[in-house]
Amino acid sequence: MTGDRFGVVPNGRRAELPVFIQFAFEDDLIAGERFFLDLSALCAQSGVSTDAVRRKLFGDATAPLIAAE
């Protein structure tokens, strides 16, 4: 992971983690694809904050909920 990705700058080292890719086909052609990976593992290996990446990708929707007293 190199460059300014997701609003953070990674350490530039190689990250190794399993990835699952789901393809959708239409008329024998790839019509879509979805990537599944462990974002926390990728961030940890890349030396970036998982919380910062989540905020960039999903906005404040992933902010922790604070219980009302």
Side-chain angles (χ1 to χ4, degrees):
M1 188 170 165
T2 61
D4 180 357
R5 303 265 196 246
F6 310 121
V8 296
V9 179
N11 57 22
R13 290 189 233 144
R14 182 182 301 266
E16 294 187 22
L17 61 149
V19 175
F20 175 81
I21 305 171
Q22 179 183 36
F23 294 98
F25 292 89
E26 191 173 305
D27 297 324
D28 293 328
L29 299 173
I30 296 175
E33 60 187 8
R34 293 173 63 187
F35 290 80
F36 298 86
L37 58 99
D38 184 338
L39 181 63
S40 293
L42 177 62
C43 290
Q45 292 183 46
S46 301
V48 298
S49 164
T50 303
D51 290 335
V53 172
R54 284 186 180 143
R55 278 192 300 275
K56 179 68 175 182
L57 292 174
F58 307 112
D60 288 333
T62 61
L65 298 176
I66 299 173
E69 293 183 26

